[in-house]
Amino acid sequence: MYKDTNRRSVVKGLSWRVVATSTTTAIVYVFFDRLDLAIAAGMIETVLKVGLYWGHERIWHKIRWGREQIEPFNLWFTGLPLSGKTTIADLVYEKLRLLQVPIERIDSSDVRKLIPDIGYSREDRNRHMQRIGHLIQRLQNNSVSTVASFVSPYRESRKAIRQMVKNNIVVYVKADLETCKKRDYKGVYEKAERGELKNFTGISDVYEEPQHADIVIDTDKLSPEEAADIIVHYVRRHYVK
């Protein structure tokens, strides 16, 4: 979250006083037709009210009444490899940052670079989701929301994430297998079909579609930008007023 520094509050006070002092000076001059009196009144008012304004702002900054805290949330993007999760999640992250939401981006490829020995068996993947859930918990404890994109092919691991974190929003990025293969600029699907990659989701391992996704994005019908707008609209309606 952001808060005004003392310097910012002073500058705000000064900028407002320029407007207010000019108005006071003009009013005094109109009524008394004395420029010296008008200038003196404006200067005295400026000195007094800048200090009063600063103190008034500092007092209200400490008062919690009337403030609404943004509850941290987690946007969980799931879908087949190359379905478009990362592209859409990146766009959503940037749009939410513009709303000054305290938020962090977590992507499977980045995490696997940090922990390269993570396996791809069902047991390994589920254990890995527990780690990610714990990370999101720690961020939420500090009022930081998250945008996370993981294939997360198993229902039990997605259920574990939902139970571990607050305000979990499942975004199912839907794309059929053939569409994902066409987007395969990495050549991973071809490697998986040749048997070079084991436990590859969609080829040698299952992807269990979410049964109760909060948002379903059909990438055959929506562009990444359109999808991001839908997701941000959902977040603004439920969490960021």
Side-chain angles (χ1 to χ4, degrees):
M1 299 298 288
Y2 294 87
K3 69 175 184 178
D4 285 359
T5 62
N6 288 346
R7 181 180 299 177
R8 177 180 168 86
S9 295
V10 169
V11 172
K12 283 170 62 180
L14 288 172
S15 66
W16 169 244
R17 289 318 310 159
V18 169
V19 176
T21 299
S22 300
T23 303
T24 298
T25 302
I27 291 173
V28 172
Y29 181 74
V30 167
F31 277 93
F32 296 97
D33 197 24
R34 287 184 55 185
L35 184 59
D36 59 334
L37 182 62
I39 293 174
M43 294 298 293
I44 292 171
E45 183 200 41
T46 296
V47 173
L48 290 175
K49 288 193 174 179
V50 163
L52 290 172
Y53 176 83
W54 181 85
H56 180 266
E57 286 288 294
R58 291 294 91 192
I59 290 170
W60 271 101
H61 181 72
K62 295 179 180 180
I63 296 173
R64 293 187 178 183
W65 179 84
R67 282 181 172 177
E68 289 186 0
Q69 183 178 6
I70 297 175
E71 284 294 320
F73 55 86
N74 174 52
L75 279 164
W76 187 267
F77 288 77
T78 178
L80 286 168
L82 280 302
S83 59
K85 299 182 300 299
T86 298
T87 300
I88 298 171
D90 286 344
L91 286 171
V92 170
Y93 171 69
E94 293 301 330
K95 289 176 181 290
L96 291 176
R97 284 185 64 197
L98 293 177
L99 299 177
Q100 296 188 346
V101 175
I103 198 159
E104 286 291 339
R105 178 78 174 91
I106 306 173
D107 185 72
S108 59
S109 60
D110 297 329
V111 176
R112 284 190 175 272
K113 288 177 184 176
L114 294 173
I115 318 174
D117 59 342
I118 301 169
Y120 287 91
S121 69
R122 194 173 191 119
E123 183 180 81
D124 288 335
R125 287 178 187 262
N126 286 339
R127 189 183 302 115
H128 183 45
M129 291 299 99
Q130 293 286 333
R131 296 191 192 103
I132 301 303
H134 179 72
L135 171 60
I136 294 171
Q137 278 183 331
R138 305 312 300 171
L139 290 168
Q140 288 190 336
N141 288 343
N142 290 282
S143 299
V144 178
S145 297
T146 44
V147 176
S149 50
F150 291 81
V151 174
S152 49
Y154 311 127
R155 293 192 181 113
E156 67 262 27
S157 59
R158 295 194 298 265
K159 182 179 179 181
I161 292 292
R162 187 183 289 274
Q163 291 173 342
M164 292 178 72
V165 309
K166 296 184 290 186
N167 302 321
N168 189 62
I169 307 163
V170 175
V171 181
Y172 174 29
V173 182
K174 187 176 182 179
D176 62 44
L177 190 59
E178 292 307 313
T179 299
C180 294
K181 288 181 180 180
K182 291 177 183 177
R183 298 171 180 166
D184 185 13
Y185 63 95
K186 300 178 181 179
V188 290
Y189 275 98
E190 291 182 2
K191 291 180 180 179
E193 288 175 337
R194 291 197 300 265
E196 297 176 21
L197 299 176
K198 305 299 182 183
N199 303 112
F200 190 86
T201 304
I203 302 297
S204 52
D205 198 7
V206 298
Y207 179 79
E208 299 171 350
E209 290 191 349
Q211 295 176 314
H212 306 290
D214 300 282
I215 304 172
V216 177
I217 298 297
D218 190 337
T219 58
D220 287 329
K221 298 178 180 178
L222 296 169
S223 69
E225 190 71 32
E226 290 170 331
D229 287 339
I230 290 171
I231 296 163
V232 171
H233 176 73
Y234 180 95
V235 172
R236 295 192 66 168
R237 191 174 71 222
H238 291 88
Y239 298 101
V240 184
K241 305 299 183 183

